[in-house]
Amino acid sequence: MSYLSQLLILSVFCPLFVWAQSNNELNSSSTEQIQNSSSLKFRGFRSATEDLPFMSEDWKISFFQLAATEPARFDDKKTTAVFFYQYFSFNYKINDSSRFSVRPVFTLESPGVNKYNDTVPEWDANWGDWYIQYSKFDLFEIGPFGSRINLRLYAPTSENSIANGMISQFHPELYFETSIRRGTSFQMAFKGDAYFHSQKAFKFKTESGKEIFTSNKEYELESYLELNQKISSKFNLKPRLTWFDEWKHRSPVNGFSSTHKTSFAPGLGIDWHPTSNFNTLLIYSNVTTYYGNRPFIRKDKRFDHKNDQLVALTNYRF
């Protein structure tokens, strides 16, 4: 079985058994709530099944999973490790256009060789950084574009964040979207991160026991342009252009200068949504670092196969 097949099975069909069991209820449930803004439509939360007995009607639960691996390793004789980032989201309806969410994050890594070239001998499970989120679906309009926003505040619950002295992380997301024609829409997104630490540098160990000393991140910014083209009732095609910016702290005591690097990632995504409650987005992209303000920041060759990434994003709304 190919590595791509393994990734699809792990990321798509693990949560699919839940969908299969409740498919009859999902097909007969109420239609998804749509927020309209002239020619603009946003997808929001909605009641999909009967409320759980221990929660009020304003609370809903959804599940998210990100599965990622490096296609360049598919030619290796050793098994390629797959990294999973996932959470259950407990969503509270404030009003028709606002939600508050609590998301306990946990991660998994499958056996194999990971991105640090370390061998992971067995399945490894850890807590990620838990966070709370406020979402506003109808923020404001600019010409044909409507907008929405997510505001997240993270707690240092992961082993890595505790080790690097993270106090908190603030993550805003701003989206602009418009419909071009029937079945075609366009989206711009800006996702930022501001990190607050008690120290500017830290040391961590890899699986092989190698110690790495590095400075902490200060800010990050992800910006992307995405076209969403409907190709059938269950599939959408999503070409995307993404820019990543990362800034790290200056730490004179440890001999670290402040750094800033920028990466560019063209990608293509295929979104499969068999029901309004379940969808998986598979994205194949190439991430190239083309700018760094310090000589030691490695610049990548354009479209080098070693920088390919394969990511599967799965959402399930109960």
Side-chain angles (χ1 to χ4, degrees), residues 253-282:
V253 175
N254 298 293
F256 292 130
S257 302
S258 60
T259 61
H260 172 209
K261 68 176 182 179
T262 304
S263 301
F264 171 70
L268 180 63
I270 298 178
D271 183 30
W272 174 52
H273 45 277
T275 76
S276 58
N277 268 45
F278 177 88
N279 79 286
T280 290
L281 174 62
L282 190 67

Side-chain angles (χ1 to χ4, degrees), residues 119-181:
T119 299
V120 182
E122 57 187 17
W123 282 91
D124 186 27
N126 294 284
W127 287 120
D129 289 326
W130 294 28
Y131 67 90
I132 56 175
Q133 174 173 291
Y134 170 76
S135 302
K136 177 73 172 175
F137 302 119
D138 55 351
L139 195 60
F140 54 81
E141 296 183 21
I142 300 180
F145 289 89
S147 64
R148 58 186 171 94
I149 194 170
N150 297 323
L151 301 175
R152 299 178 181 175
L153 188 64
Y154 288 79
T157 52
S158 69
E159 183 178 342
N160 184 66
S161 293
I162 293 172
N164 66 32
M166 190 181 91
I167 299 171
S168 187
Q169 174 188 346
F170 177 62
H171 176 93
E173 298 179 345
L174 179 61
Y175 297 88
F176 297 95
E177 187 176 30
T178 189
S179 296
I180 299 175
R181 61 175 184 270

Side-chain angles (χ1 to χ4, degrees), residues 103-243:
R103 295 176 175 176
V105 177
F106 58 103
T107 64
L108 292 171
E109 192 167 22
S110 69
V113 180
N114 64 18
K115 66 178 181 179
Y116 300 110
N117 290 319
D118 288 332
T119 299
V120 182
E122 57 187 17
W123 282 91
D124 186 27
N126 294 284
W127 287 120
D129 289 326
W130 294 28
Y131 67 90
I132 56 175
Q133 174 173 291
Y134 170 76
S135 302
K136 177 73 172 175
F137 302 119
D138 55 351
L139 195 60
F140 54 81
E141 296 183 21
I142 300 180
F145 289 89
S147 64
R148 58 186 171 94
I149 194 170
N150 297 323
L151 301 175
R152 299 178 181 175
L153 188 64
Y154 288 79
T157 52
S158 69
E159 183 178 342
N160 184 66
S161 293
I162 293 172
N164 66 32
M166 190 181 91
I167 299 171
S168 187
Q169 174 188 346
F170 177 62
H171 176 93
E173 298 179 345
L174 179 61
Y175 297 88
F176 297 95
E177 187 176 30
T178 189
S179 296
I180 299 175
R181 61 175 184 270
R182 185 177 178 84
T184 306
S185 61
F186 177 75
Q187 183 182 87
M188 294 185 293
F190 304 92
K191 303 179 181 182
D193 284 288
Y195 296 88
F196 303 93
H197 293 89
S198 61
Q199 57 197 47
K200 295 185 177 181
F202 74 106
K203 183 187 296 183
F204 70 95
K205 277 188 178 182
T206 63
E207 291 285 340
S208 61
K210 181 181 178 182
E211 289 189 342
I212 298 178
F213 197 48
T214 184
S215 55
N216 273 318
K217 294 178 183 179
E218 189 171 14
Y219 303 106
E220 285 184 309
L221 177 63
E222 175 185 350
S223 312
Y224 70 76
L225 306 175
E226 181 181 83
L227 186 70
N228 183 10
Q229 177 62 56
K230 181 178 180 180
I231 55 178
S232 74
S233 61
K234 291 181 171 56
F235 289 93
N236 286 6
L237 196 64
K238 294 188 173 186
R240 175 188 290 191
L241 296 177
T242 306
W243 291 264

Side-chain angles (χ1 to χ4, degrees), residues 31 41 50 60 63 67 121 159 169 177 181 308:
T31 57
K41 294 182 178 180
E50 292 183 1
K60 304 299 173 189
F63 173 77
E159 183 178 342
Q169 174 188 346
E177 187 176 30
R181 61 175 184 270
D308 288 350

Side-chain angles (χ1 to χ4, degrees), residues 69-73 115 284-288 298 300-309:
T69 191
E70 298 172 293
R73 295 185 180 274
K115 66 178 181 179
Y284 197 105
S285 60
N286 180 274
V287 183
T288 301
R298 179 176 60 88
D300 296 321
K301 295 180 181 179
R302 293 183 181 179
F303 306 111
D304 190 336
H305 177 55
K306 293 185 296 184
N307 299 320
D308 288 350
Q309 289 187 356

